[in-house]
Amino acid sequence: MRPYLPATLAWVAGICLLAAPIRAEAQGYPRLALYGSVHGGIYPLTIGGEFGPLDPVALDTQARYNALVIQPNLITPYRPDVIAGLRQRNPDIRLHAYVLGHYIWFSAREDSTVHYPTRFRRLVRDLDGFLYNQAGGEFSNANVNLAKRDGFGRFVVAEGIADLFEDAIARSGDWNGIFIDQYCNSILWMESPSERIDYVRAGYPSVGAFDAAWLAATDTLGNRLRRRVGPDFTLCGNCAAGTKYASFNGWMRENFPFQNGGTWYDNMYRDPGGYFVDEERFRNPQANWIFTAVSGPTTPYASTNVRKMRFGLGSAALGDGYAVFGPSDLNGIDYPFHNWWYDEYAVDPGTGNTSAELADTGWLGQPIGAVHQMIWPGTGPDASTNPDFESNVTDGWHLDVGGAVASVIRDVTTAAVGLASARVRIQSPGTVDHSVLFATNGRLNMFANQTYSATFWAKASTPRAIIVAAGIPGQPGIAGRAVDIGTTWKQYQAVLIPWANGNAELQFLVGRYGGDVWLDDVHMQAGVFNVYRRDFQNGIVIVNPATTAQTVPLERQYRKIRGLVDLAVNNGALVNQVTVPASDALFLIGEDRIPPAAINDLVPILP
């Protein structure tokens, strides 16, 4: 049972329980999250142990965030005044209870009907639901057998855990949502040469059958939990790429931007699991997360760490999710990351000064548009020798057609640059994109894992996707990306990262759909010549994922933050042009309530 609360705190807690769910859209940008950790005795939120007084300084510090993820183990059953104290300071804070999906440590607290970890451990024990390794011990990294079935084929452990989460956490009324860590669609990657899962003891004839059942069981847990908690309670998960789109509100990207050995482009665009992909697919209200890990937690304000924080924060602001910065092990005792605070976290837009006040968080206000790219041309060697088709469409280009009917002409009735463009007409489409291929005769010597850019203007008779690739005739492409194009001229830059070396031509694969595709001012060069930008009521965010610094022209004057942590970047200067270092971001102040007039280098988003 919960302890008795003083009347004032009980009244505050009651207000929290009865309040309507807080919609994430009401929060300003950038959206800050603390992926916190409650250590023994509820440190750092209490003083002197589990039943000690609240620490007002720690509550003040953590209440500044838009969202907080912490363990409910001792808070919900014994110290709901922690929740009340946070909400009293910040009524808009979104609190997510941190739980594990398929692991539970040994816990046998005397108060076994209330203490959540003990309830979890005994639930699994009573269902004979532990997962074992082939040596007979509990499997080290995932000791809960979500794939356990009863005699009727029901995933009884997965269902039981969903019921426990609802009863022990959601029903308390303390939390806006649940954050489930170690909630993987497959756990075979956790095996090692020295430890294998005993899939026979788990109830399956083969490791493949176990793996398929595990995926189905995780879906069962998510779907049942969603039914139990209702539509407004937030569910978030973490483990590789999440696919619980129907039941969950979002997912975590860890070690950003290198999760799964990827790049910024993979972490933002991977399908499934990319940040922008997840923003489109998870249910509302969205709650996606970008977690950037500190390098050297004893020096959180070193230049490398400030850059990494800013890169993650800026990338999150390109969408509607939360940015997290902290140590990978969440060790708040040795590294009090709950006290770290950076220039970009809070700003007084009137003075331009960085701030430590809750009132100055969300300082960018609301977005006034979607993320877009700013593009400018490169000057290096180019695979395209006839980029603008002013004279013809045959010099430097060839059209390959197989299993389709198509042609290409020089069109003088429409152009993005100059007086003419290339119009590829697909009278009868094929079954694959490469049924119609329009490509340069010129080639570019490309090297694996280096970045290259295909820069071009395009439009189509109807909205459609095309494939932009670097390829070698007669061989599979060595790099490629899908690009969605509309019916009006827009400039695009697709970043190509070859998986192998090769002397490649630029290819447009357009054969899957009928209609017309127009191209103009087409280039393929080494390097990247774009940044990602989003405009807000009180400023802009510019993100440079390239491996080289980018000098960005601005359409008018903006002001830099006047900071305390990174004075080299946040020096309060008025600027019409900025240089954004590689893998970095920049936050600029400027009332931007009205979108700027049409500028050729502001274009829709693509990788």
Side-chain angles (χ1 to χ4, degrees):
M1 295 179 63
R2 290 170 179 251
Y4 171 77
L5 293 180
T8 301
L9 285 178
W11 179 83
V12 172
I15 291 294
C16 294
L17 295 181
L18 296 175
I22 300 167
R23 294 185 59 81
E25 299 86 60
Q27 298 178 336
Y29 292 71
R31 290 179 172 168
L32 312 174
L34 181 64
Y35 195 41
S37 183
V38 175
H39 299 273
I42 319 184
Y43 173 86
L45 295 170
T46 62
I47 300 172
E50 180 179 329
F51 298 107
L54 298 178
D55 187 330
V57 175
L59 290 172
D60 288 343
T61 299
Q62 299 199 22
R64 293 182 295 182
Y65 288 85
N66 298 110
L68 175 61
V69 179
I70 52 174
Q71 296 93 332
N73 308 347
L74 300 177
I75 292 174
T76 290
Y78 311 117
R79 296 301 302 267
D81 54 331
V82 170
I83 300 292
L86 290 166
R87 293 204 188 279
Q88 188 176 37
R89 289 162 170 79
N90 181 3
D92 291 336
I93 193 170
R94 296 189 63 82
L95 300 176
H96 297 79
Y98 175 96
V99 299
L100 297 177
H102 45 69
Y103 182 83
I104 183 61
W105 62 94
F106 178 79
S107 181
R109 194 173 175 122
E110 292 181 2
D111 194 0
S112 60
T113 62
V114 174
H115 185 240
Y116 158 73
T118 301
R119 292 181 64 184
F120 194 162
R121 180 81 185 186
R122 292 189 178 183
L123 169 72
V124 176
R125 180 202 64 185
D126 293 346
L127 291 172
D128 190 24
F130 288 108
L131 184 65
Y132 295 94
N133 58 36
Q134 294 181 2
E138 293 180 13
F139 186 60
S140 298
N141 299 309
N143 65 350
V144 176
N145 183 13
L146 294 184
K148 165 82 176 185
R149 295 183 188 266
D150 68 4
F152 300 97
R154 294 172 50 208
F155 292 115
V156 289
V157 172
E159 291 183 1
I161 291 172
D163 294 346
L164 174 65
F165 287 167
E166 187 276 333
D167 181 66
I169 297 169
R171 190 177 296 183
S172 71
D174 292 337
W175 307 92
N176 295 100
I178 291 175
F179 186 101
I180 308 180
D181 197 7
Q182 294 189 24
Y183 182 44
C184 306
N185 286 344
S186 171
I187 58 168
L188 297 186
W189 62 274
M190 293 183 175
E191 291 187 313
S192 68
S194 61
E195 186 178 34
R196 300 290 184 183
I197 294 169
D198 190 342
Y199 56 83
V200 174
R201 188 172 179 181
Y204 294 91
S206 68
V207 68
F210 168 79
D211 194 44
W214 182 275
L215 173 60
T218 62
D219 289 340
T220 295
L221 193 163
N223 293 335
R224 185 179 181 92
L225 182 58
R226 172 55 64 194
R227 290 194 299 271
R228 294 295 302 268
V229 300
D232 298 324
F233 195 76
T234 301
L235 300 179
C236 306
N238 183 36
C239 182
T243 57
K244 314 304 183 193
Y245 296 123
S247 56
F248 272 58
N249 301 87
W251 214 258
M252 172 77 84
R253 270 138 296 277
E254 287 189 301
N255 193 29
F256 182 84
F258 305 115
Q259 188 179 50
N260 297 332
T263 65
W264 185 90
Y265 303 99
D266 295 323
N267 276 249
M268 301 298 279
Y269 289 100
R270 182 188 293 115
D271 187 0
Y275 180 64
F276 289 134
V277 174
D278 284 355
E279 291 266 296
E280 292 292 327
R281 294 184 183 171
F282 279 111
R283 61 186 291 139
N284 288 319
Q286 293 280 309
N288 285 294
W289 311 72
I290 286 179
F291 179 17
T292 307
V294 66
S295 296
T298 59
T299 56
Y301 300 117
S303 59
T304 295
N305 284 322
V306 173
R307 177 196 58 77
K308 292 184 68 175
M309 177 285 305
R310 195 163 44 230
F311 192 39
L313 184 67
S315 299
L318 297 180
D320 298 326
Y322 297 98
V324 177
F325 187 70
S328 296
D329 61 3
L330 303 182
N331 183 348
I333 296 177
D334 293 336
Y335 320 117
F337 61 96
H338 48 274
N339 292 329
W340 299 351
W341 198 252
Y342 295 89
D343 293 340
E344 292 78 8
Y345 280 10
V347 174
D348 180 341
T351 65
N353 294 334
T354 189
S355 167
E357 300 299 320
L358 168 63
D360 291 323
T361 60
W363 60 275
L364 284 171
Q366 294 299 309
I368 60 173
V371 57
H372 52 264
Q373 282 180 298
M374 298 180 66
I375 295 171
W376 54 96
T379 59
D382 194 338
S384 176
T385 58
N386 177 20
D388 51 15
F389 312 106
E390 290 299 289
S391 300
N392 58 67
V393 295
T394 55
D395 288 346
W397 292 86
H398 62 272
L399 180 71
D400 295 341
V401 180
V405 178
S407 60
V408 59
I409 66 168
R410 175 174 173 263
D411 192 338
V412 296
T413 66
T414 182
V417 177
L419 301 175
S421 63
R423 185 185 74 188
V424 182
R425 171 160 289 177
I426 304 97
Q427 293 99 321
S428 178
T431 58
V432 293
D433 293 292
H434 61 262
S435 298
V436 179
L437 183 151
F438 188 50
T440 61
N441 294 336
R443 297 192 185 184
L444 191 66
N445 201 23
M446 305 178 80
F447 299 93
N449 302 316
Q450 301 299 307
T451 54
Y452 300 83
S453 295
T455 308
F456 58 96
W457 289 81
K459 70 172 184 175
S461 53
T462 57
R464 56 169 294 160
I466 64 175
I467 302 297
V468 181
I472 302 169
Q475 300 181 29
I478 60 174
R481 291 194 183 273
V483 178
D484 293 323
I485 61 175
T487 57
T488 59
W489 283 111
K490 297 290 183 182
Q491 191 182 26
Y492 301 86
Q493 189 169 104
V495 174
L496 303 175
I497 304 176
W499 59 267
N501 298 342
N503 193 26
E505 63 186 23
L506 172 59
Q507 302 173 340
F508 292 93
L509 286 62
V510 297
R512 187 181 293 270
Y513 308 105
D516 294 341
V517 174
W518 287 266
L519 298 167
D520 202 357
D521 194 27
V522 181
H523 306 270
M524 185 169 75
Q525 301 162 296
V528 175
F529 312 99
N530 75 79
V531 294
Y532 291 74
R533 167 174 167 170
R534 196 174 191 191
D535 292 50
F536 296 85
Q537 291 171 316
N538 300 318
I540 62 174
V541 174
I542 299 172
V543 178
N544 175 23
T547 56
T548 57
Q550 302 289 339
T551 298
V552 184
L554 301 172
E555 75 284 354
R556 62 181 181 82
Q557 194 172 73
Y558 287 86
R559 182 165 34 138
K560 290 188 174 183
I561 297 168
R562 186 175 290 107
L564 296 174
V565 172
D566 192 347
L567 298 180
V569 172
N570 299 318
N571 57 17
L574 295 172
V575 292
N576 292 300
Q577 174 178 288
V578 291
T579 297
V580 186
S583 300
D584 203 345
L586 189 62
F587 291 72
L588 298 174
I589 305 166
E591 287 197 8
D592 206 6
R593 301 178 186 276
I594 301 175
I599 298 174
N600 287 340
D601 60 1
L602 299 186
V603 299
I605 185 169
L606 69 148

